[in-house]
Structures are given as C-alpha cells and as structure tokens.
C-alpha cells in the first residue's frame, strides 16, 4: 500500500530534516539506551526499525514531558512501542536478526507545532503502531521497495494543504464572529 510510512521513509526523514535540520537518533531497546536520550527536551519523535540499509518508521508521537521519560513509558507499559518490540509482539515478520529500534527526536519548543506535524504525518501515512488518527495497528512491517522522496512529496503536500485549509476555515469562522 502506497501510504505505509515504511515505504515513504525517505520522504519522512527528508521532510523532518527540511523543516528542523539534522536531528539526533538514539537506539532505545534497552533501559541503558533510553538513559542516553534527552531528559531536558520535548517535542515530536519517530520510532523506526533500522536494517542498516533501510529505515522503517513505525510510530510517530509527541510529548510534553521529556523524551527520556516518555521512552521509559514506552518501555515499561505493555501498550508501549518499545515493550511490543522487545517482547516479540511486533513486528510479526521480523527477520532472524532483530532490527534495532531507533528514536529520532525532534525538539520543538511550541507544542502546537508538534501536534500539527504529528497529525499531518498520521493523515498522510499509515504508521504500523499508531492508532489515534491512524486506524488499526499493523503487525507486519512493509519492507517492499521504498519510494523516492519526490514520489511521496506530492501526496503529502495535498494532505498538508488540506489540513492547513481546515485550520484557516476554522480561523475565518472565528474571526467573523468577533
């Protein structure tokens, strides 16, 4: 399916870099790895599996708490992404060698920007483990050929434009009532 985040990974990572520049990534499978993540920043994050050749985004989230605290919750809670990966619940098509789970962290000082971009990504792409704004969980990672960023951009631009138009429409209705 064209909208799977895994197939659109090159665009997703390009988009993050275009908007926010180079950002840090951290392996997060173990508690000692999580302890290396920022404990003084919040914003948006993307969990992805890394084969060394391809990256497969599986979850996009935001946090008002610091990244370290949020990732510990994902590790300790049975519904958390890290917990599911570490306990063999995800992915069901895992190769014999378990792929490392990486978190790309995007510190954003304005929570509304984080929420807006999370919603746009979820509207544009089907992330395996997101349920809010994204439908059902998928337990199989789509490892089919990935699209070039320019091949994903057109559909993303339409989605992003539609979201911005909806926001503008709400603002226009608000502005007319004052």
């Amino acid at each position: 399916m064209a909208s799977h985040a895994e197939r659109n990974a090159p665009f997703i990572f390009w988009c993050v870099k275009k908007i926010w520049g180079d950002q840090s990534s951290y392996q997060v499978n173990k508690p000692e790895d999580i302890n290396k993540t920022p404990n003084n920043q919040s914003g948006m994050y993307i969990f992805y599996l890394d084969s060394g050749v391809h990256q497969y985004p599986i979850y996009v989230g935001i946090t008002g708490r610091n990244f370290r605290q949020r990732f510990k919750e994902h590790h300790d809670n049975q519904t958390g992404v890290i917990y599911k990966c570490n306990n063999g619940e995800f992915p069901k098509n895992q190769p014999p060698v378990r792929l490392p789970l990486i978190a790309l962290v995007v510190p954003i000082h304005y929570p509304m920007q984080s929420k807006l971009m999370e919603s746009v990504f979820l509207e544009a792409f089907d992330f395996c483990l997101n349920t809010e704004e994204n439908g059902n969980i998928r337990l199989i990672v789509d490892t089919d050929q990935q699209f070039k960023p320019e091949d994903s951009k057109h559909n993303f631009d339409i989605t992003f434009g539609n979201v911005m138009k909806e926001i503008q429409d709400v603002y226009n209705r608000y502005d007319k009532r004052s």
Side-chain angles (χ1 to χ4, degrees):
M1 175 178 253
S3 68
H4 287 174
E6 307 93 277
R7 298 199 64 198
N8 292 279
F11 171 80
I12 292 168
F13 291 111
W14 173 87
C15 184
V16 168
K17 184 174 183 175
K18 180 167 178 53
I19 296 171
W20 294 286
D22 289 321
Q23 299 300 318
S24 298
S25 293
Y26 302 87
Q27 187 164 339
V28 290
N29 291 94
K30 302 177 202 163
E32 54 268 23
D33 296 331
I34 295 169
N35 284 333
K36 296 175 185 172
T37 63
N39 66 353
N40 61 348
Q41 297 173 327
S42 59
M44 187 176 72
Y45 57 97
I46 298 173
F47 285 133
Y48 64 95
L49 298 173
D50 191 345
S51 74
V53 176
H54 297 287
Q55 292 75 39
Y56 302 106
I58 59 170
Y59 183 90
V60 60
I62 59 171
T63 184
R65 299 178 295 285
N66 68 62
F67 290 115
R68 185 179 304 171
Q69 182 180 359
R70 183 66 183 120
F71 297 162
K72 285 180 180 180
E73 293 167 358
H74 272 285
H75 179 273
D76 296 340
N77 189 321
Q78 291 181 352
T79 61
V81 171
I82 299 170
Y83 183 94
K84 287 178 182 296
C85 289
N86 285 347
N87 289 285
E89 295 177 30
F90 177 86
K92 292 299 183 183
N93 60 330
Q94 181 73 41
V97 177
R98 195 160 271 294
L99 298 177
L101 180 63
I102 311 293
L104 172 68
V105 299
V106 184
I108 301 174
H109 299 290
Y110 301 101
M112 188 54 66
Q113 287 181 11
S114 297
K115 180 60 190 148
L116 171 67
M117 290 311 297
E118 178 199 36
S119 292
V120 172
F121 279 125
L122 290 172
E123 181 69 22
F125 306 116
D126 179 13
F127 287 79
C128 292
L129 294 179
N130 281 95
T131 54
E132 289 188 32
E133 300 181 65
N134 207 215
N136 296 321
I137 288 178
R138 287 185 295 113
L139 296 177
I140 305 294
V141 174
D142 184 348
T143 57
D144 287 344
Q145 183 175 355
Q146 294 183 328
F147 302 118
K148 294 177 185 173
E150 57 270 21
D151 294 338
S152 302
K153 187 177 185 307
H154 176 72
N155 289 335
F156 182 82
D157 287 351
I158 291 170
T159 300
F160 201 177
N162 289 341
V163 169
M164 295 309 294
K165 182 183 178 308
E166 289 178 30
I167 291 170
Q168 185 65 50
D169 289 347
V170 169
Y171 178 77
N172 290 343
R173 285 194 305 266
Y174 164 78
D175 196 39
K176 286 180 182 180
R177 295 175 192 236
S178 17

